């Protein structure tokens, strides 16, 4: 472990984790065959690995990944990078604490956002894992405008963003954290949806307990 508490991670390990997360998102129906993208970097690195464009996302392999610098220049790899690379780069530029970014199309999270319903602190995971979720207004996928809006929303310290009419962005200090944020968004959205569809207003964890969790877990 380094001083910051991060394990030193090799390019090969990073690439394997990116592929594992991509497949897991596909298996959990959080992305479609060509949707979604995942990236990761070593702590403090000015370059990152990202999934390619136009490849079946359920079977991405390490050789398919592309390494870019924060301006989008190709450093390594053969395929075209995801068209959403500017969004990933914007997050890394604005958030030195973030080393992994997951972009998925979580159907329940998006469905609630389309209905103007925000995620509530309905579970410990909702409080601990999500902490802060920002809504990003619609901009066309792959554009500099979307990257600019995402960079701005990410700079508030959010761990998750909901891209209106599009999907979600989950951020973490490593891939496991970003993956957990993407999955927790959907888990919370589904639980909240079930409760609301049965005509209930789901009870939430009281504010004072949230403060206690924060203290207990030094957040
Ligand atoms: Zn997308």
């Amino acid at each position: 472990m380094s001083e910051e508490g991060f394990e030193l991670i090799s390019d090969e390990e990073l690439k394997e984790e990116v592929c594992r997360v991509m497949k897991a998102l596909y298996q959990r129906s959080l992305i479609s065959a060509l949707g979604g993208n995942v990236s990761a970097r070593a702590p403090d690195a000015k370059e990152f690995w990202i999934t390619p464009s136009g490849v079946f996302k359920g079977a991405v392999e390490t050789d398919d990944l592309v390494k870019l610098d924060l301006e989008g220049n190709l450093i390594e790899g053969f395929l075209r990078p995801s068209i959403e690379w500017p969004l990933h780069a914007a997050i890394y530029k604005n958030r030195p604490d973030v080393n992994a970014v997951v972009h998925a199309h979580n159907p329940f999270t998006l469905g609630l956002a389309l209905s103007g319903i925000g995620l509530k602190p309905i579970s410990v995971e909702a409080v601990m894992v999500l902490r802060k979720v920002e809504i990003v207004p619609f901009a066309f996928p792959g554009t500099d405008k979307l990257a600019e809006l995402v960079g701005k929303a990410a700079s508030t310290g959010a761990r998750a963003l909901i891209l209106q009419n599009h999907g979600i962005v989950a951020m973490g200090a490593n891939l496991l954290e970003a993956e957990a944020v993407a999955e927790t968004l959907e888990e919370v959205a589904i639980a909240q949806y079930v409760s609301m569809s049965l005509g209930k207003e789901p009870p939430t964890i009281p504010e004072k307990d949230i403060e206690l969790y924060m203290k207990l877990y030094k957040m």
Side-chain angles (χ1 to χ4, degrees), residues 35-37 84 103-105 141 163 166-167:
N37 31 79
E84 295 291 15
H103 166 54
H105 293 161
L163 310 182
H166 182 175

Side-chain angles (χ1 to χ4, degrees), residues 113-172:
L114 291 170
S115 312
I117 298 167
L119 295 178
K120 296 185 163 76
I122 57 157
S123 65
V124 175
E125 281 75 19
V127 174
M128 307 292 294
V129 182
L130 301 182
R131 295 186 221 173
K132 199 168 182 315
V133 180
E134 293 279 328
I135 306 269
V136 176
F138 180 77
F140 280 103
T143 58
D144 289 342
K145 180 71 191 167
L146 179 60
E148 185 195 319
L149 291 171
V150 163
K152 205 171 131 200
S155 64
T156 62
R159 302 189 89 197
L161 310 176
I162 295 172
L163 310 182
Q164 195 56 286
N165 301 87
H166 182 175
I168 65 103
V169 173
M171 296 164 261

Side-chain angles (χ1 to χ4, degrees), residues 112 117-118 120 190-202:
L112 288 186
I117 298 167
K120 296 185 163 76
I190 291 172
Q192 196 174 315
Y193 170 78
V194 169
S195 171
M196 293 176 85
S197 67
L198 293 171
K200 311 290 183 191
E201 181 57 39

Side-chain angles (χ1 to χ4, degrees), residues 11-22:
D11 265 6
E12 221 37 56
E13 286 170 310
L14 266 183
K15 287 162 74 178
E16 275 166 24
E17 265 292 275
V18 167
C19 295
R20 184 192 66 72
V21 170
M22 196 83 238

Side-chain angles (χ1 to χ4, degrees), residues 20-157:
R20 184 192 66 72
V21 170
M22 196 83 238
K23 285 175 197 160
L25 293 170
Y26 181 73
Q27 280 159 4
R28 290 197 64 150
S29 303
L30 298 179
I31 57 167
S32 61
L34 290 173
N37 31 79
V38 173
S39 72
R41 64 174 172 181
D44 297 327
K46 299 280 178 260
E47 296 164 347
F48 60 99
W49 287 100
I50 188 163
T51 47
S53 173
V55 168
F56 171 54
K57 299 300 163 66
V60 169
E61 292 184 14
T62 51
D63 287 346
D64 300 332
L65 302 186
V66 182
K67 192 183 211 180
L68 302 177
D69 68 16
L70 296 183
E71 308 311 318
N73 298 307
L74 181 71
I75 308 296
E76 250 183 275
F78 304 100
L79 298 178
R80 272 182 306 129
S82 161
I83 63 156
E84 295 291 15
W85 74 260
L87 170 165
H88 293 252
I91 292 172
Y92 293 130
K93 280 182 193 167
N94 282 285
R95 292 285 296 276
D97 60 312
V98 169
N99 299 310
V101 176
V102 166
H103 166 54
H105 293 161
N106 299 22
F108 281 88
T109 313
L110 188 58
L112 288 186
L114 291 170
S115 312
I117 298 167
L119 295 178
K120 296 185 163 76
I122 57 157
S123 65
V124 175
E125 281 75 19
V127 174
M128 307 292 294
V129 182
L130 301 182
R131 295 186 221 173
K132 199 168 182 315
V133 180
E134 293 279 328
I135 306 269
V136 176
F138 180 77
F140 280 103
T143 58
D144 289 342
K145 180 71 191 167
L146 179 60
E148 185 195 319
L149 291 171
V150 163
K152 205 171 131 200
S155 64
T156 62

